[in-house]
Amino acid sequence: MSDKIKVAAPLVILHGDEMAQVAFERILETFVTSRLDIDLVEIDLTAENRLITNGQAVIDAIEALNRHGVGVKNAGMTVNREQRDALLAVHPELEAGSLHPLATKSPNGAIRKGIGGNITREDIEFRNLKVDTPQWIGRDIEVETMDTGGTKDSYNALSSATGIVKLLFVGASGDPVELHRREVNKGDPWLLATNDIDTVRAWAHRFFQRAIDEKRDIYLGLKDTVIAGYDGVMRAAIEDIYRAHYQQQAESLGLAYHYELIDAQAARLVANPPERALWGVPDNNTGRKLYKLVQQLKRYGIPERKAQVSISRMSAGGGDQYGSYNMPATEDGILKVVVDGDEKHARHVKQGDPILLMSNDRAAIKDWVLQVFRDASRKDKEVYFGLKREYMDYDEVFSDVITEARRELAKADTPPPSFMIMRPSSQLIKMITDPPRNALYPAQNLDGDIFSDISAALGGSLATASSIIESKNGTMLFEAPHGTAHDLYLKYLESDGKEAHFNSSALIYAVANALETLAEREANAALADYAGRLKEALIGTVGDGIVTGDLKGKTTDPATETVVDMHGFLDAVAARLSA
């Protein structure tokens, strides 16, 4: 007779890429299949399989999560153009022109939209981690952003009726061509943003020339993998100028150039600031927030964090930038937004100008706000919303929904927790420089991505944070907030598996969270006890000073630390669990 714990419901397992997948397979073997009698619904979400299946693997993942209700997702690669072409070379039977967007884009947004889920990220409460506060006061770091264009100069409005929003383009032929259409309901916010590609190029010249004149290392941050037709267009134009006009000068002066996705770059710069740098963030909406944060950090620094920080990210509904239509204009012409036959806005664009049309779902916004209040009440958290209400009808709807949700909860004798609405820049500054006792910071999709990565990095490591995706219908997806650890994977391959350096804490915690949820749903006391002991074994192992290399020197007693590789850490957690 098996001594494994019997689990009635299946668990959905979404496999990923690179070093994270090496760790995930070992975690499943060590803590799930060897100890539990459980059915695993396993789906291959590697970049290669998403390509081979032309995105069907992502659809299968969504269907499995909606059917079974609880899953664990591993980190997966979001391929850039070069990586996509390399994969296509391995599979000549595939044609680039016939690929579905799900075949090459990040699956994360599609999965969150497919299950209607929003993300909450918070620190894992390790008892003995003491992160050295980054030394920010006096750092010579400047942020350069564009003054015009983008969201700042968008046309945004609320839909006055349920219907169809169409984006039309009138070019040289004079005939309107429909670029995109999407359904909206009454009260849904929508927004059209464009950037003048010549203005972007002029900004790039100023940006690189300033870095060279002031002898600063150069950092450029955008979200080109997810918003390829908007941020990706800007990145290409800016880097073309760098290579043609400034790279040789920069390198001769010993200046480094760094490009990174804006969320990862923001986390890196805030948590580990360089001595002297120029940080280029062309998107002025994001750029202004980061400019204000950097000015605050240079003056006051970052205090020691004494409380858990949680980020709730609105990712269901329309998806904002991540669910947008984004493409460059194919020729000079006029863009028109038409809602149910009525022209709401028109503007000139030139060939190559990046275009973005985004919207959100008012009903989904309300579901998210109620989820925020529910989570904060359950965990006794204060809530700090960040909204740009003074000139954004798009954000004003969030404010209206907060008031509406608050009244509904009050009528049901369940008042919401203490909350405040502030500008997103103030929200970010408060989260970093003045975190209260125990707080939850709700943010829209792109802001939430950036804010949560910064917060996790300040917690010591992206592997010391948890990520929970929850939908209105109760579907729960648990994941680690970190990526695939590409650099560590290259070392793992080069050493033929002998160098296995990876912090698997967040993945272990995600698995334990999923098992805990299954236990609650089927009133399985044995499984609940096991999930709790797995979390405690993880926290206790680090508490004993057994850490991976990324946490070296970050415990309260560095002299007693034992630094181990990935396998050594998993062995230590398993031994403690069995003790």
Side-chain angles (χ1 to χ4, degrees):
M1 184 175 179
S2 173
D3 59 355
K4 294 182 179 181
I5 298 171
K6 175 66 178 176
V7 184
L11 177 64
V12 178
I13 298 293
L14 307 182
H15 292 288
D17 288 292
E18 300 188 325
M19 203 63 213
Q21 183 60 24
V22 176
F24 197 42
E25 289 172 1
R26 176 87 199 279
I27 289 167
L28 293 174
E29 176 188 346
T30 305
F31 302 114
V32 180
T33 57
S34 65
R35 298 172 185 260
L36 306 176
D37 182 2
I38 185 172
D39 291 330
L40 299 182
V41 179
E42 300 184 72
I43 295 172
D44 182 354
L45 272 188
T46 60
E48 186 170 17
N49 195 54
R50 299 197 312 269
L51 187 78
I52 292 172
T53 63
N54 201 20
Q56 183 61 41
V58 181
I59 296 171
D60 292 344
I62 294 167
E63 290 177 349
L65 289 168
N66 283 325
R67 184 183 312 119
H68 300 294
V70 183
V72 182
K73 181 186 176 298
N74 196 13
M77 289 172 57
T78 301
V79 296
N80 57 30
R81 185 177 294 275
E82 183 179 341
Q83 291 166 326
R84 184 203 67 177
D85 291 345
L87 286 171
L88 287 172
V90 178
H91 299 281
E93 72 279 8
L94 300 175
E95 294 183 8
S98 63
L99 290 176
H100 190 278
L102 291 178
T104 55
K105 288 188 175 182
S106 167
N108 296 340
I111 290 172
R112 291 163 194 155
K113 188 174 181 180
I115 67 175
N118 298 302
I119 310 170
T120 300
R121 290 186 183 179
E122 57 191 20
D123 306 331
I124 301 172
E125 295 189 67
F126 289 106
R127 293 184 288 267
N128 65 321
L129 288 187
K130 184 178 184 300
V131 181
D132 291 333
T133 304
Q135 294 300 313
W136 255 97
I137 295 178
R139 288 294 170 106
D140 191 3
I141 299 173
E142 296 292 337
V143 176
E144 185 82 22
T145 190
M146 293 179 62
D147 295 326
T148 60
T151 306
K152 182 173 181 287
D153 292 329
S154 70
Y155 183 87
N156 60 96
L158 306 183
S159 177
S160 57
T162 296
I164 303 293
V165 172
K166 295 180 183 179
L167 183 63
L168 304 179
F169 178 76
V170 182
S173 69
D175 296 324
V177 176
E178 184 177 309
L179 299 179
H180 182 71
R181 66 164 59 196
R182 59 176 58 195
E183 295 181 9
V184 292
N185 296 310
K186 184 176 182 179
D188 286 357
W190 58 268
L191 176 153
L192 174 69
T194 59
N195 260 312
D196 184 311
I197 197 66
D198 290 333
T199 302
V200 173
R201 294 188 180 108
W203 175 85
H205 281 290
R206 291 195 302 272
F207 170 60
F208 292 124
Q209 191 61 57
R210 179 182 176 187
I212 287 169
D213 290 345
E214 299 178 7
K215 296 182 174 57
R216 298 177 183 273
D217 286 336
I218 305 164
Y219 290 79
L220 177 69
L222 286 159
K223 196 70 176 178
D224 63 296
T225 54
V226 178
I227 322 173
Y230 193 76
D231 280 26
V233 171
M234 290 193 285
R235 178 190 176 183
I238 293 165
E239 291 193 325
D240 282 349
I241 286 170
Y242 175 68
R243 286 188 290 267
H245 300 282
Y246 299 99
Q247 183 172 2
Q248 188 174 352
Q249 294 181 67
E251 290 176 353
S252 68
L253 291 170
L255 303 179
Y257 171 74
H258 305 274
Y259 176 80
E260 206 168 7
L261 294 179
I262 186 59
D263 45 338
Q265 191 178 74
R268 189 184 305 277
L269 261 72
V270 172
N272 187 24
E275 289 293 337
R276 182 174 171 82
L278 185 62
W279 187 5
V281 187
D283 170 58
N284 52 40
N285 194 30
T286 301
R288 289 195 306 277
K289 297 184 188 81
L290 295 176
Y291 172 83
K292 292 176 182 178
L293 174 65
V294 166
Q295 298 307 308
Q296 186 86 357
L297 295 181
K298 288 194 296 184
R299 186 173 180 183
Y300 299 108
I302 299 177
E304 181 179 336
R305 181 178 292 187
K306 298 179 180 178
Q308 187 185 53
V309 172
S310 302
I311 312 289
S312 180
R313 177 175 155 203
M314 166 72 188
S315 54
D320 297 316
Q321 291 98 324
Y322 288 12
S324 67
Y325 167 85
N326 55 95
M327 289 291 288
T330 56
E331 60 175 315
D332 295 0
I334 299 173
L335 277 179
K336 296 184 177 183
V337 180
V338 176
V339 182
D340 273 359
D342 293 333
E343 184 178 308
K344 299 295 184 181
H345 180 69
R347 63 172 60 183
H348 288 276
V349 289
K350 302 194 312 299
Q351 182 178 1
D353 286 356
I355 301 165
L356 181 144
L357 176 72
M358 70 184 195
S359 64
N360 213 318
D361 184 315
R362 192 182 193 279
I365 294 170
K366 186 172 181 180
D367 291 339
W368 173 61
V369 170
L370 289 169
Q371 179 182 315
V372 165
F373 284 150
R374 184 170 62 247
D375 184 48
S377 294
R378 186 168 61 240
K379 299 179 181 179
D380 192 27
K381 295 178 182 291
E382 300 169 354
V383 180
Y384 296 87
F385 287 97
L387 297 173
K388 199 76 172 177
R389 296 181 294 174
E390 63 269 31
Y391 63 84
M392 291 284 289
D393 289 342
Y394 197 98
D395 280 21
E396 187 65 39
V397 69
F398 286 80
S399 180
D400 292 343
V401 167
I402 291 168
T403 301
E404 187 177 306
R406 179 187 179 192
R407 288 172 179 166
E408 288 185 12
L409 290 170
K411 286 181 180 178
D413 294 324
T414 53
S418 172
F419 74 95
M420 182 180 294
I421 299 174
M422 55 183 61
R423 292 183 178 184
S425 55
S426 300
Q427 180 193 36
L428 175 60
I429 289 170
K430 182 167 185 60
M431 183 185 78
I432 303 304
T433 66
D434 183 30
R437 176 179 53 83
N438 197 26
L440 178 62
Y441 297 86
Q444 295 174 47
N445 211 340
L446 180 57
D447 279 357
D449 210 352
I450 296 168
F451 294 4
S452 59
D453 275 19
I454 293 174
S455 179
L458 289 175
S461 166
L462 286 171
T464 61
S466 68
S467 182
I468 303 167
I469 302 172
E470 179 180 356
S471 73
K472 182 182 179 181
N473 66 7
T475 298
M476 303 288 288
L477 178 61
F478 302 91
E479 62 180 357
H482 56 64
T484 61
H486 177 69
D487 292 347
L488 298 179
Y489 186 59
L490 292 180
K491 291 180 181 177
Y492 176 80
L493 295 177
E494 290 167 0
S495 67
D496 198 24
K498 293 183 177 63
E499 286 194 43
H501 301 293
F502 183 81
N503 188 337
S504 53
S505 297
L507 280 172
I508 296 172
Y509 205 82
V511 168
N513 270 334
L515 297 177
E516 192 173 62
T517 301
L518 287 176
E520 290 174 358
R521 294 186 177 186
E522 59 190 59
N524 189 330
L527 181 60
D529 175 71
Y530 175 73
R533 289 191 296 111
L534 178 55
K535 286 185 177 181
E536 184 53 40
L538 168 65
I539 292 169
T541 298
V542 176
D544 286 343
I546 301 173
V547 296
T548 47
D550 59 311
L551 296 182
K552 181 181 179 180
K554 295 181 179 180
T555 69
T556 52
D557 190 2
T560 63
E561 290 174 358
T562 301
V563 180
V564 295
D565 68 0
M566 180 193 79
H567 295 300
F569 185 77
L570 291 174
D571 288 342
V573 175
R576 190 177 182 90
L577 182 63
S578 299

